């Protein structure tokens, strides 16, 4: 049995919902898992010895990853590099098959090229935002982003 930390950054709640789907799947497959926002993890701390695997996820907003996520990943580079890890990216451009791969998604390519932390496995989640998806910072507009998850590798 693995012990997994799913750590994510989310602005409107879409990435949080996808992280929750990943977390629930891990638990349903018989593993132990915790889920934390990067701000929570940074402020409250993480007992890294507790986890075999770390899955990190973040949205692309206006062509960039948020500073909070990049800061967290860079701060814990040595810990992340020492553990089995994976990265998922939530981007509206990933909703098309050609851009739902690491090679086809310019934002993920830039992240992997420019970030000193190397996260070897990559999943992309395409999310087609609608005008009502930004009702609040939690994105609680009654829709389930898992229903709109086009690919998660």
């Amino acid at each position: 049995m693995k012990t997994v930390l799913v750590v994510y950054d989310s602005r409107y709640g879409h990435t949080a919902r996808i992280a929750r789907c990943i977390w629930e799947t891990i638990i349903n497959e018989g593993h132990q898992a915790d889920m934390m926002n990067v701000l929570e993890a940074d402020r409250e701390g993480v007992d890294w010895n507790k986890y075999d695997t770390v899955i990190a996820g973040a949205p692309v907003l206006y062509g960039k990853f948020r500073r909070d996520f990049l800061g967290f990943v860079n701060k814990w580079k040595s810990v992340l590099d020492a553990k089995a890890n994976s990265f998922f990216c939530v981007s509206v451009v990933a909703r098309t098959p050609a851009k739902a791969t690491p090679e086809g998604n310019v934002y993920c390519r830039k992240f992997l090229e420019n970030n000193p932390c190397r996260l070897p496995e990559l999943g992309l989640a395409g999310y087609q935002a609608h005008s009502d998806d930004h009702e609040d910072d939690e994105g609680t507009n009654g829709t389930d982003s898992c229903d709109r998850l086009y690919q998660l590798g």
Side-chain angles (χ1 to χ4, degrees):
M1 175 169 43
K2 299 239 184 234
T3 305
V4 180
L5 173 63
V6 179
V7 63
Y8 66 92
D9 182 38
S10 188
R11 171 93 187 258
Y12 297 108
H14 307 302
T15 306
R17 286 190 215 134
I18 292 167
R20 188 172 24 260
C21 289
I22 293 168
W23 173 75
E24 289 172 349
T25 300
I26 292 165
I27 290 171
N28 289 338
E29 290 182 359
H31 302 286
Q32 294 180 343
D34 293 326
M35 185 175 99
M36 298 178 90
N37 181 286
V38 293
L39 293 175
E40 175 188 5
D42 225 18
R43 290 179 184 151
E44 295 182 19
V46 175
D47 179 2
W48 293 107
N49 294 323
K50 182 178 173 182
Y51 303 104
D52 305 311
T53 303
V54 178
I55 299 173
V60 175
L61 300 168
Y62 302 105
K64 297 181 181 182
F65 291 98
R66 290 172 17 124
R67 278 187 236 144
D68 295 333
F69 178 75
L70 294 175
F72 180 85
V73 168
N74 289 323
K75 178 179 180 179
W76 298 106
K77 176 192 176 346
S78 62
V79 173
L80 294 170
D81 285 345
K83 295 187 177 291
N85 62 63
S86 185
F87 168 68
F88 70 95
C89 166
V90 180
S91 167
V92 70
V93 300
R95 74 185 181 278
T96 62
K99 294 185 179 177
T101 66
E103 301 78 25
N105 189 295
V106 66
Y107 305 121
C108 288
R109 271 199 329 264
K110 280 184 186 178
F111 175 79
L112 295 171
E113 290 168 4
N114 298 327
N115 200 290
C117 181
R118 297 291 176 214
L119 301 168
E121 299 176 32
L122 182 67
L124 298 171
Y127 188 84
Q128 185 162 2
H130 300 281
S131 61
D132 65 344
D133 284 340
H134 303 287
E135 289 183 2
D136 61 39
D137 282 346
E138 294 302 312
T140 53
N141 61 1
T143 61
D144 183 354
S145 64
C146 294
D147 293 338
R148 296 193 223 166
L149 186 61
Y150 298 104
Q151 179 179 357
L152 186 63

